[in-house]
Amino acid sequence: MFSFACAVARFLMIGWGVESLLLLLAAQLLHGATFGVCHAATVAALHRWFPAGQQARAQAVYGSVSFGAGGMLGGLASGQTWEAFGSGWTYTLGALFALAGLLLVWRSSADRSASDAV
């Protein structure tokens, strides 16, 4: 959840703070929290969800879907929104996707906590 929250802040800072070098530097420092932590958490989840003999295959599918297909779709969508609405709104759209991820993880965490209490 922390990683997604940092992504929301980072994308808004980049999209609307282009006039401030300090703000952009702070946004780039959040890259470790957004990419690094999210990637490490995903790999840890794959190791938990898949048996030892399937973990490498699961990571390959994860890489293909997230970096391959996700990168392609994100590039296409951001190109369209950048051209139509500009950089600020393109990064705002990215922040909204990160917020959606945050809410999904939060909801999943709340559901798990409720089932653990029963």
Side-chain angles (χ1 to χ4, degrees):
M1 287 188 286
F2 174 76
S3 178
F4 280 115
C6 287
V8 171
R10 177 179 176 229
F11 293 143
L12 290 174
M13 291 164 73
I14 292 171
W16 299 103
V18 296
E19 300 297 325
S20 170
L21 179 60
L22 187 60
L23 197 58
L24 291 177
L25 289 173
Q28 284 308 105
L29 289 175
L30 291 175
H31 181 64
T34 56
F35 175 76
V37 172
C38 187
H39 179 70
T42 301
V43 170
L46 292 174
H47 277 262
R48 193 171 50 247
W49 295 340
F50 292 91
Q54 297 297 317
Q55 291 172 354
R57 183 172 291 150
Q59 284 188 36
V61 171
Y62 155 65
S64 298
V65 171
S66 64
F67 300 112
M72 179 194 67
L73 293 173
L76 289 172
S78 66
Q80 294 297 315
T81 58
W82 193 291
E83 192 171 293
F85 305 109
S87 60
W89 288 108
T90 299
Y91 276 98
T92 299
L93 181 60
L96 290 172
F97 278 110
L99 180 61
L102 171 64
L103 294 173
L104 287 170
V105 171
W106 175 73
R107 174 63 189 216
S108 174
S109 176
D111 288 348
R112 241 186 338 232
S113 295
S115 68
D116 289 345
V118 174

